[in-house]
Amino acid sequence: MKKQSILIIGVISFLIAISVGYAIFSENLEINGTASAQGTFDVEFTSIGEPVCIGLTSVCEANSLATISSDKNTLNVTVNKLEFPGSYVTIPVTITNKGTIPAILKSIEEQNLRADTSIKVSYIGLEENQGKRLSQNETQTFTIKVMWDENSNISSSDVQFSIRLNYEQITS
C-alpha cells in the first residue's frame, strides 16, 4: 500500500511539474495592425487596327467592322455577308492595362454569336496572351478572324457578336 501511495503521489507530482513547465514556457501572442492597399484594376480595349478583307461585300474599314463600347470592356463586331466559302475578315485588336494592378487573361466571353451558322470565329495570337502578365501601361494584341467555312454548303449571313476578355488581378 505504501508503494502504491508513493507511486500515485509521484505521478501527480510529475503531472503538476509538466503543467507548471508548460505554463511558464507558453505565451499568447496578439498582433494588432491595419493593412491597406491602393490601386486600380482597369484592363480595356484601346484600339482596332487596319482590317484585312477577302471576299467582303461591304466596305472594309475598322470603324464599320468593330467598335469599342463606351466602358471599353466590350468589343462589338459586325461583318456583313461574305461573298464565297473561304472568304474572311481579320481585325487586329489592342488591349492595354490602364490600371496600376497587374492582370492576367483568364478567358474570353462571346455574346450573341449564333452557333447554327457557317461563319466561324477564331482568335489569332490570343493563346500567347493567356497566362501572360500584363503590367501597368503594357499592351497585348491579337486578331479576330471571321470566316465563312470553306467546306460549308450553307449560305453566308451577316454576323454580329460581342467579345469580352476576362482578366484577373495577379495576387502573388
Side-chain angles (χ1 to χ4, degrees), residues 21-148:
Y22 178 76
I24 290 172
F25 290 110
S26 69
E27 288 184 38
N28 286 335
L29 179 61
E30 187 175 322
I31 299 174
N32 293 317
T34 308
S36 63
Q38 292 183 340
T40 55
F41 187 77
D42 185 20
V43 179
E44 57 188 45
F45 287 100
T46 50
S47 69
I48 302 167
E50 201 57 42
V52 173
C53 302
I54 305 297
L56 180 67
T57 58
S58 61
V59 177
C60 184
E61 294 177 355
N63 61 358
S64 67
L65 294 171
T67 57
I68 299 171
S69 65
S70 59
D71 67 359
K72 299 186 181 194
N73 293 322
T74 304
L75 184 74
N76 302 305
V77 178
T78 302
V79 176
N80 293 326
K81 189 172 180 165
L82 294 166
E83 292 178 2
F84 52 86
S87 58
Y88 64 89
V89 172
T90 60
I91 307 164
V93 179
T94 302
I95 292 112
T96 305
N97 185 353
K98 298 282 191 169
T100 58
I101 299 172
I104 188 168
L105 177 63
K106 285 301 192 184
S107 64
I108 186 167
E109 183 181 321
E110 294 175 341
Q111 299 169 336
N112 303 321
L113 181 62
R114 293 188 330 229
D116 63 341
T117 180
S118 61
I119 303 297
K120 303 298 177 206
V121 176
S122 59
Y123 304 95
I124 304 162
L126 194 60
E127 302 82 33
E128 292 87 31
N129 293 327
Q130 247 173 335
K132 184 179 170 190
R133 178 187 180 105
L134 184 62
S135 297
Q136 182 178 10
N137 295 320
E138 282 187 332
T139 61
Q140 292 178 343
T141 59
F142 68 96
T143 302
I144 301 166
K145 184 174 186 177
V146 180
M147 180 178 177
W148 184 358

Side-chain angles (χ1 to χ4, degrees), residues 152-169:
S152 176
N153 56 4
I154 302 171
S155 64
S156 170
S157 59
D158 294 350
V159 177
Q160 292 183 333
F161 63 97
S162 299
I163 61 170
R164 182 179 199 87
L165 300 176
N166 298 316
Y167 279 84
E168 211 172 72
Q169 75 179 39

